[in-house]
Amino acid sequence: MKILDCTLRDGGYYTNWDFDNGLVDLYLQSLEHLPVEYLEVGYRSKPLPGYLGKYFYLPLPVLKELKSKSSKKLVVILNEKDVRAADAEELLLPVKNYVTMVRMAIDPKNFKRALELAQKIKELGFEVAFNVMYMSTWKEEKEFLDLLDKVDGVADYFYMVDSYGGVYPEDVKETIALVRSKTGVRLGFHGHNNLEMALANTLVAIEQGVDIVDATITGMGRGAGNLKTELLLSSLQAKNQLNFDYNELAKVVDAFSDLHKQHDWGTSLPYMVSGANSLPQKQVMEWVGKRYYSFNSIIRALNNQTLGKRDN
Amino acid sequence: MKILDCTLRDGGYYTNWDFDNGLVDLYLQSLEHLPVEYLEVGYRSKPLPGYLGKYFYLPLPVLKELKSKSSKKLVVILNEKDVRAADAEELLLPVKNYVTMVRMAIDPKNFKRALELAQKIKELGFEVAFNVMYMSTWKEEKEFLDLLDKVDGVADYFYMVDSYGGVYPEDVKETIALVRSKTGVRLGFHGHNNLEMALANTLVAIEQGVDIVDATITGMGRGAGNLKTELLLSSLQAKNQLNFDYNELAKVVDAFSDLHKQHDWGTSLPYMVSGANSLPQKQVMEWVGKRYYSFNSIIRALNNQTLGKRDN
């Protein structure tokens, strides 16, 4: 079982993908001593409107520098919705010597299109991972399920992503069984922490034989954030499943805890509600921000939306 | 299944059992609208050395006032180590009209003595709950296990307390089966959140038929804190197991979130380590506070202690 730390990528949602150079150096140095195989350091993307920082575009010199400071396998992720197969070569070939794996964040509705992109990335010589979102809805995505066996021979890892942070251990088991009924691909799990179930779900995924799991230092990541790397490592160390230098872990956790004081990621009532009800957390947060909506009316409205009713 | 909220009692560890009157009023008012049956509002105790606030002693006028403001069943807890059966009448009889249930925090090593106290409290006409600590070590406490059937007819609830915050769902199941093999008493579960497993463990306890579970608003409680009441309620509401007014919940969560900014309860690396390894968190925290110990040496020393070796 392998661990992928995606602090800079998923944490970037809070800093617009800018991080202090000293913090990144400390992160890379500490991670050298921790049992983490892959570091996802950000996105690669064509220019998008608005300002997006260094770790959203990861230009070649940045990747070169990161690679010079780390012996870990570096990973970048693409937003499938923004990248076509025809763009892959221009976007990825230049960074070939510095990046081991390319992940794709995929809406199951676009799965067919994603397969073309994946094929292209594989041909360029990268390890390829599918990060397929909204795992709690897959059962209902017949077209997606019918295409699942097409990942064989293309995907090195097929990730189940708990986008809403709303799944429970029994859902993780069920989804693993569902995917396994279609393909023999190696599996990954990317949890979110809306319901503080990220560790429980990840441990069940590991117990079920998943090959790779994601975590971030202090759980830094979009919305309610991710499984905390320090929590996963502490739990597995106590179970004698791995061993590492706690001082190095404490160092990097301390550094990101300082950043946490500024940005305050982690779960909170609106995130819990969105997780528990599989409602889009972006919308819950926006509406809660506007104080003139009551909590009850927000939840009612979002539930109505989910049921396909008109808002009122 | 019933819910007991023990915010004032367990949260008192952070405020020395003093709370702003306005906050307590808001708490009582909001809880009126939430599906919580019992409110544990603090300790009862003979005078102890050092300053301990209002909700540690709960003098009669305070309990009267609390009861006048709440329709909920009020609960007080005793530290069994500080209270003998002979003290029960003096300590509890005066508050008889205001308190429904008395809980006892019990070290399994003192279980025989606790049974005498429980018998006395029962005779005084209270509901009685045993909060037996260190559930992860019960398997090895033969004397305690042999006495377990003595709770029948005395205890209204028998709580398993995850004192170290280190148990996992499979441990909860195993402990429930162990207790059920000895007694037919109604069961309770009191989790801690060192490993962010409080919800996962509590949901498993509920699934296994436990009759009562504990939580606190924002998880306020000793060390890494407790299961968050708002998380439990949000999860159960989404599963259609209960229904309530989210605006009331949001109000009380907001109020305690302000207090959280001052005291910052919740898990952190030292608490994770103590939880994962069943080490006393008090000691981990004290040692980490003294910055000249490295994290590695602390863990080594504590593990040695646990194994009965001499520190070095």
Side-chain angles (χ1 to χ4, degrees):
Chain A
M1 197 275 303
K2 297 177 169 70
I3 298 171
L4 180 150
D5 185 282
C6 48
T7 306
L8 300 180
R9 194 276 291 189
D10 227 337
Y13 281 96
Y14 276 94
T15 65
N16 214 358
W17 292 277
D18 279 323
F19 290 95
D20 177 78
N21 290 339
L23 179 66
V24 173
D25 285 351
L26 186 151
Y27 169 79
L28 295 173
Q29 284 157 24
S30 289
L31 268 285
E32 280 297 296
H33 303 277
L34 299 178
V36 167
E37 182 142 343
Y38 293 93
L39 302 186
E40 188 171 74
V41 290
Y43 285 87
R44 285 283 284 175
S45 176
K46 291 190 291 182
L48 294 180
Y51 176 78
L52 290 158
K54 189 165 154 180
Y55 297 88
F56 191 82
Y57 291 111
L58 285 172
L60 183 59
V62 175
L63 277 168
K64 256 189 196 172
E65 195 185 339
L66 291 171
K67 188 66 196 169
S68 75
K69 291 174 175 171
S70 177
S71 69
K72 302 284 175 172
K73 293 175 183 164
L74 299 190
V75 182
V76 299
I77 193 166
L78 310 176
N79 270 328
E80 190 277 338
K81 71 175 162 58
D82 299 325
V83 182
R84 296 290 80 80
D87 308 323
E89 192 166 324
E90 188 190 341
L91 215 48
L92 296 174
L93 203 55
V95 303
K96 181 80 189 351
N97 292 335
Y98 311 104
V99 170
T100 303
M101 183 156 77
V102 176
R103 303 212 290 183
M104 300 174 300
I106 302 166
D107 185 325
K109 301 216 181 306
N110 302 324
F111 195 69
K112 197 170 180 181
R113 192 177 67 188
L115 283 164
E116 286 171 51
L117 176 61
Q119 189 61 54
K120 188 69 204 168
I121 299 170
K122 191 75 193 165
E123 283 164 22
L124 293 171
F126 294 94
E127 290 182 25
V128 174
F130 286 61
N131 271 35
V132 186
M133 300 184 281
Y134 316 121
M135 63 182 274
S136 53
T137 68
W138 289 2
K139 279 183 289 205
E140 295 127 42
E141 301 277 355
K142 202 186 162 318
E143 202 183 334
F144 159 67
L145 292 175
D146 286 346
L147 287 168
L148 256 184
D149 62 339
K150 298 280 185 289
V151 302
D152 290 325
V154 182
D156 291 276
Y157 299 105
F158 183 89
Y159 268 89
M160 303 167 287
V161 179
D162 176 19
S163 305
Y164 296 125
V167 304
Y168 294 95
E170 56 272 27
D171 304 315
V172 174
K173 277 190 198 174
E174 198 185 43
T175 308
I176 289 174
L178 178 68
V179 177
R180 287 235 168 98
S181 72
K182 306 282 183 183
T183 154
V185 70
R186 284 187 291 178
L187 295 179
F189 179 70
H190 179 97
H192 286 128
N193 212 28
N194 297 56
L195 300 179
E196 297 189 351
M197 294 298 287
L199 180 63
N201 289 332
T202 300
L203 291 179
V204 163
I206 292 170
E207 185 194 291
Q208 296 291 311
V210 152
D211 299 276
I212 189 165
V213 297
D214 288 6
T216 68
I217 300 293
T218 67
M220 187 179 193
R222 192 176 197 171
N226 299 82
L227 171 60
K228 296 172 177 71
T229 303
E230 62 272 28
L231 182 57
L232 178 65
L233 293 182
S234 297
S235 174
L236 295 177
Q237 192 258 18
K239 292 168 186 278
N240 291 316
Q241 291 180 22
L242 42 79
N243 205 1
F244 59 89
D245 184 342
Y246 256 107
N247 294 338
E248 294 294 336
L249 180 61
K251 221 185 285 176
V252 66
V253 167
D254 277 356
F256 277 89
S257 298
D258 288 342
L259 198 56
H260 183 257
K261 283 180 198 119
Q262 276 175 60
H263 297 288
D264 204 29
W265 55 86
T267 197
S268 63
L269 189 53
Y271 289 133
M272 292 173 194
V273 173
S274 67
N277 299 283
S278 292
L279 302 169
Q281 66 183 9
K282 194 169 162 233
Q283 208 152 10
V284 176
M285 288 309 284
E286 272 170 14
W287 291 18
V288 169
K290 296 171 191 158
R291 284 277 165 186
Y292 46 83
Y293 288 119
S294 81
F295 225 103
N296 287 334
S297 65
I298 291 170
I299 290 159
R300 208 163 40 235
L302 284 167
N303 272 321
N304 286 349
Q305 253 186 20
T306 305
L307 297 169
K309 293 181 201 161
R310 270 187 74 82
D311 264 329
N312 52 23
Chain B
M1 195 276 304
K2 298 177 169 69
I3 298 171
L4 181 151
D5 186 282
C6 48
T7 306
L8 299 180
R9 193 274 293 189
D10 226 338
Y13 280 96
Y14 276 95
T15 65
N16 215 1
W17 291 277
D18 278 323
F19 290 95
D20 177 78
N21 291 338
L23 179 66
V24 173
D25 284 352
L26 186 150
Y27 168 79
L28 295 172
Q29 284 158 25
S30 291
L31 269 285
E32 280 297 295
H33 304 276
L34 300 178
V36 167
E37 181 141 343
Y38 293 94
L39 301 186
E40 189 172 74
V41 289
Y43 286 87
R44 285 283 285 174
S45 176
K46 292 190 291 183
L48 294 181
Y51 176 77
L52 291 158
K54 189 167 156 180
Y55 298 88
F56 192 82
Y57 291 112
L58 286 172
L60 184 58
V62 175
L63 277 168
K64 259 188 191 170
E65 194 185 340
L66 292 171
K67 188 66 195 167
S68 75
K69 292 175 174 168
S70 176
S71 69
K72 303 284 175 171
K73 293 176 184 161
L74 299 190
V75 182
V76 299
I77 193 165
L78 310 176
N79 269 328
E80 191 277 337
K81 71 176 165 53
D82 299 326
V83 182
R84 294 293 79 78
D87 309 323
E89 193 165 323
E90 189 191 341
L91 214 47
L92 296 174
L93 203 55
V95 303
K96 181 81 189 349
N97 292 335
Y98 312 104
V99 169
T100 304
M101 183 156 76
V102 176
R103 303 211 291 183
M104 300 173 299
I106 303 164
D107 185 323
K109 301 216 180 308
N110 301 325
F111 194 69
K112 197 170 180 180
R113 193 177 65 190
L115 282 165
E116 286 172 52
L117 177 61
Q119 189 62 54
K120 189 69 202 165
I121 299 170
K122 191 75 193 164
E123 283 164 22
L124 293 171
F126 294 94
E127 291 181 23
V128 174
F130 286 62
N131 271 34
V132 186
M133 301 184 281
Y134 316 121
M135 63 182 275
S136 53
T137 67
W138 290 2
K139 279 184 290 205
E140 294 127 44
E141 300 278 353
K142 200 183 163 322
E143 202 183 334
F144 160 68
L145 292 176
D146 286 345
L147 287 167
L148 256 184
D149 61 341
K150 298 280 185 288
V151 302
D152 291 324
V154 182
D156 291 276
Y157 300 105
F158 183 89
Y159 268 89
M160 303 166 288
V161 180
D162 176 19
S163 305
Y164 296 126
V167 304
Y168 293 95
E170 55 271 26
D171 304 315
V172 174
K173 278 191 197 174
E174 198 184 42
T175 308
I176 290 174
L178 178 68
V179 178
R180 288 237 167 96
S181 73
K182 306 282 182 182
T183 156
V185 70
R186 285 187 291 178
L187 296 180
F189 179 70
H190 179 97
H192 285 128
N193 212 28
N194 298 56
L195 300 180
E196 297 188 349
M197 293 299 287
L199 180 63
N201 288 333
T202 300
L203 291 178
V204 163
I206 293 171
E207 184 195 291
Q208 296 290 309
V210 153
D211 299 276
I212 190 166
V213 297
D214 288 6
T216 68
I217 300 291
T218 67
M220 188 180 193
R222 192 176 197 170
N226 298 84
L227 171 59
K228 296 172 176 72
T229 303
E230 64 272 26
L231 181 58
L232 178 65
L233 293 182
S234 298
S235 174
L236 295 178
Q237 192 259 17
K239 292 168 186 279
N240 291 315
Q241 292 180 21
L242 43 80
N243 205 2
F244 59 89
D245 184 342
Y246 256 107
N247 294 338
E248 294 294 336
L249 181 61
K251 223 186 282 175
V252 65
V253 167
D254 277 356
F256 277 89
S257 297
D258 288 342
L259 199 55
H260 183 257
K261 283 179 197 122
Q262 276 174 59
H263 297 288
D264 203 29
W265 55 85
T267 198
S268 62
L269 188 53
Y271 289 134
M272 291 173 194
V273 173
S274 67
N277 299 284
S278 292
L279 302 170
Q281 66 183 10
K282 194 169 162 236
Q283 208 152 10
V284 175
M285 288 310 284
E286 272 169 14
W287 291 19
V288 168
K290 296 170 190 159
R291 284 278 165 189
Y292 47 82
Y293 288 117
S294 81
F295 226 103
N296 286 334
S297 65
I298 291 170
I299 290 158
R300 207 162 42 233
L302 284 166
N303 272 321
N304 285 349
Q305 252 186 18
T306 305
L307 297 170
K309 292 181 200 161
R310 271 187 73 80
D311 265 328
N312 55 20

